[in-house]
Every structure is written in C-alpha cells, then in structure tokens.
Amino acid sequence: MEKQKRLKKNEEFQEVFKRGKSSANRQFVLYALEKNDQPHLRLGLSVSKRVGKAVTRNRIKRVVKEIFMKHEEEIASNRDYIVIARNPTADMDYFEMEKSLLHVLQRAGLFRQSRDKRK
C-alpha cells in the first residue's frame, strides 16, 4: 500500500475516532471520516494482541490491505478509514474476511454507485 494511503500517526487515528462514523459486525469495526481535501482513501489498521500472536496479526493486516486495494475503485474515496479486527478474524481465511469486510462497508454505505447498481 502506498505511503500516502496509510494512516500512521496517533493524531490521525484520534481524529477519525472522534469525528468519524462507525459500523461493525462480529469480525470488524470500521470507522470512516470524510475528507473533502484529499483525492484518495487512507487506511489505518488496528489488531489487538488479544487476537493472536504477531504472525496472525500481521496476516490479518496483509489480508485487509489486499481487500482494500482489490476493491479500491468500488470504495468511496476522499475518506480516512480505520479497520479494527476482532477475535474471530484469527480463524478466517481470505474469502471469509473479504465477505465480512465488504459487508461492513455495505452497512456503512461506503460503496460508490457502480457496486449498488450491480446488485
């Protein structure tokens, strides 16, 4: 994932937590904050030590980044996103995580019109 498309600083995370809207299911919590002055989306990830050891947490982060890159054209841009992975994600494979994360995005209404028309 490109450097400009990542959230890293604590201040950036705190702003999204305070001012953003959240949506969740059993596997993921998603925070989204609209930023009209930025042309692309930015992604921040949080996976607690309670989810698993470092290998498991890093795998979850890699899969979530891959899902966002794969569906980048469909997901609303000009927003900051924070994805928090919950415990059940440790036992999920790629396709289960993809389905769950897309479900949370759909619930939050963060898809562009092209995806809505296909369904």
Side-chain angles (χ1 to χ4, degrees), residues 7 11-21 31-33 35 42 80-82:
L7 289 175
E11 300 85 41
E12 296 170 335
F13 271 78
Q14 292 307 317
E15 181 184 9
V16 177
F17 286 137
K18 287 177 185 168
R19 297 182 43 226
K21 303 232 187 281
Y31 286 86
L33 176 63
K35 300 277 225 148
R42 295 192 309 167
D80 286 348
Y81 294 97
I82 295 178

